[in-house]
Amino acid sequence: IQWRFAIEETIGSVQHEYALKFKELIESRSQGAIEVTIYPYGTLGTSDQITELVDMGVIQFAMASPGHLGKLIPEVQVFLLHFVFSDDEEINNQVLNDNPELRRTFDELYARKRLKLLSIYSEGWQVWTTKKAIRTPEDFSGVKMRVMTSPLLLAAYAAYGASPTPLPYSEVYSALQLNMIDGQENPVFAIQEMSFYEVTDWMIFAKQSPFITTSVTNLEFFQGLPSEQQELVLETVDELNGYILEVQREFNRDRLKLIQENKPGLNIVPDLTAEQREAFRDASQSVRQQFVELAGPEGQRLLDELIRAIKSAEAKRAQ
Ligand code: 6CS
C-alpha cells in the first residue's frame, strides 16, 4: 500500500520534519505494509493545487495552511487574526489540540469540503522581514506586504495601513528581489530556508500571530480504510502534536543563528516594546468584525470560543 503525503514547504522544513516522522511511525507500525511517499513543495504545485489533489484523491495526505485554505473554508481564517493567541506557545498548543468544541466545529467544516482534519499546530511566530524598519502601524503606510492568499490577510495588513499583496509561497523571493513587494511574514525557519532575509534588510518580531497549519486527508479515503488503519493514522498524528512543538522551537532558534551568520548586516528587532505592540493590537481590532463578515455566525462562535479558551488556559497557568 502506498500513501502519498504532500507538504507546502521544502525539504528541511517543519512540515517536512512532520511528514518524515509520520512516515517513520506509519511504516514501522504497519510493519512495512504501508509505504509513505513525501512530496515536498515544488513537486506538485502551490498550496491550493495540493489541496485540490487531496480532494481528487490523487494524494491521500497533505498540509493545508489556513493562510491559503481560507478561500475554501473561510472559518479557518480565525487562525490568521492578530493578537488573538497567547504569547505563550504552550498555551496555544494546548488550546489547538485539546479543545473539543473547536475541534468538533472544524471537523465538520473540513468534512463539508470532503477533507478529514487530522491536526492543527503552530510552526512558530510570524516574523516580518521588510526593506524598512517597522515599529508602529504608521511605518506600514504604503508598504507592499506580501501575504498568503486568504482574504482575511488583506484586511489584517490594510488595518495597519499597508498595501497587502497576496502571492503563492514560491513567488515571494523573486517578488522581493524585483521590488514588487517590500516585505513578507513567515516563521524564522522559513525565512532562512527560502532565503527571504537575503532580499530584505529588517527582521521584526512583533508576535502578532503564530503560523498555524493543519494536516488533512481525503475524507472518503479515510472512511474507506480498515478500522485499524484509521486508528493508526489518528494515534500517529496525536503523537506528533507534542513532537512538532519541540521541532519548530529548535528550528526557529537554530535558523536565526544561521541567518545572522550569513548576513551580519541584517537589522533585527527581536521584540517590539509592550507599548509598540499595543498600537498594533489596537489597530488590529477592527479586523475581527471583517472576519465575522467573511466567516458568518459559525466564525463568530469559533472566535468567541478561541478567545475564551485562551483566556481560561492563561488564567489556569497563572494560578
Ligand atoms: O507563506 C507561505 O505561503 C507558506 N509559509 C509557510 C511557513 N508554510 C507554508 C505556506 O504556504
Side-chain angles (χ1 to χ4, degrees):
I1 308 172
Q2 212 205 21
W3 288 354
R4 298 187 164 101
F5 195 150
I7 55 174
E8 307 168 286
E9 294 166 5
T10 55
I11 290 173
S13 62
V14 171
Q15 291 190 4
H16 187 234
E17 205 55 33
Y18 185 104
L20 279 175
K21 194 73 181 169
F22 179 86
K23 173 181 166 73
E24 177 196 318
L25 294 175
I26 296 283
E27 290 181 352
S28 67
R29 288 173 182 172
S30 70
Q31 268 118 35
I34 302 168
E35 193 189 322
V36 178
T37 310
I38 302 170
Y39 294 86
Y41 194 67
T43 56
L44 296 176
T46 62
S47 289
D48 294 346
Q49 289 164 331
I50 292 169
T51 307
E52 226 173 278
L53 291 174
V54 179
D55 185 37
M56 295 189 298
V58 177
I59 50 176
Q60 291 73 38
F61 298 88
M63 296 298 178
S65 293
H68 297 288
L69 192 65
K71 297 191 290 308
L72 193 65
I73 308 177
E75 294 87 343
V76 298
Q77 297 178 110
V78 74
F79 296 133
L80 305 174
L81 288 166
H82 291 187
F83 300 100
V84 162
F85 280 95
S86 172
D87 290 350
D88 182 337
E89 289 199 295
E90 305 265 351
I91 286 178
N92 296 335
N93 198 42
Q94 188 188 321
V95 169
L96 292 176
N97 286 308
D98 303 331
N99 184 296
E101 167 92 20
L102 286 176
R103 192 49 197 252
R104 214 174 16 249
T105 311
F106 279 117
D107 279 348
E108 226 178 274
L109 291 167
Y110 275 62
R112 278 184 219 158
K113 300 293 173 190
R114 299 176 300 277
L115 295 170
K116 164 137 188 80
L117 172 63
L118 294 175
S119 66
I120 313 174
Y121 66 93
S122 163
E123 300 188 24
W125 296 106
Q126 289 282 52
V127 176
W128 295 323
T129 64
T130 51
K131 306 213 179 204
K132 58 170 268 203
I134 306 278
R135 290 194 181 87
T136 65
E138 291 72 41
D139 291 335
F140 261 126
S141 175
V143 169
K144 290 197 280 314
M145 193 65 181
R146 178 271 173 171
V147 292
M148 291 180 279
T149 54
S150 286
L152 185 90
L153 291 168
L154 294 175
Y157 281 90
Y160 299 147
S163 307
T165 312
L167 282 178
Y169 199 33
S170 49
E171 291 176 29
V172 180
Y173 184 93
S174 57
L176 283 168
Q177 194 175 33
L178 299 171
N179 286 318
M180 288 158 64
I181 50 171
D182 308 312
Q184 67 86 40
E185 60 171 354
N186 256 303
V188 173
F189 82 88
I191 291 169
Q192 191 273 327
E193 72 187 19
M194 299 297 279
S195 305
F196 297 151
Y197 68 93
E198 288 178 2
V199 279
T200 40
D201 306 306
W202 288 82
M203 189 168 184
I204 301 130
F205 292 71
K207 279 197 174 177
Q208 74 281 11
S209 59
F211 181 97
I212 307 281
T213 196
T214 66
S215 58
V216 300
T217 183
N218 178 296
L219 184 62
E220 208 184 318
F221 156 79
F222 185 80
Q223 286 170 341
L225 289 177
S227 60
E228 65 277 9
Q229 287 183 12
Q230 290 187 353
E231 265 315 298
L232 174 65
V233 170
L234 295 179
E235 95 193 8
T236 302
V237 294
D238 232 40
E239 228 175 280
L240 279 169
N241 284 333
Y243 173 77
I244 206 66
L245 176 64
E246 291 314 311
V247 167
Q248 68 92 342
R249 282 179 160 166
E250 184 191 316
F251 277 29
N252 285 314
R253 201 175 44 231
D254 294 352
R255 307 287 176 90
L256 182 59
K257 286 193 206 118
L258 264 185
I259 291 175
Q260 286 172 300
E261 276 164 32
N262 280 336
K263 187 169 177 175
L266 183 71
N267 302 293
I268 299 182
V269 182
D271 272 312
L272 293 185
T273 64
E275 220 169 288
Q276 287 168 333
R277 287 186 80 213
E278 211 43 45
F280 283 105
R281 190 191 303 272
D282 287 349
S284 74
Q285 293 306 306
S286 62
V287 183
R288 297 185 186 189
Q289 193 45 45
Q290 288 173 277
F291 164 72
V292 174
E293 279 158 27
L294 289 168
E298 193 89 282
Q300 176 81 66
R301 272 197 298 281
L302 280 166
L303 175 59
D304 292 345
E305 176 54 20
L306 185 61
I307 292 172
R308 189 208 57 76
I310 290 164
K311 291 268 170 300
S312 128
E314 280 179 334
K316 259 192 217 133
R317 178 67 55 107
Q319 271 171 18

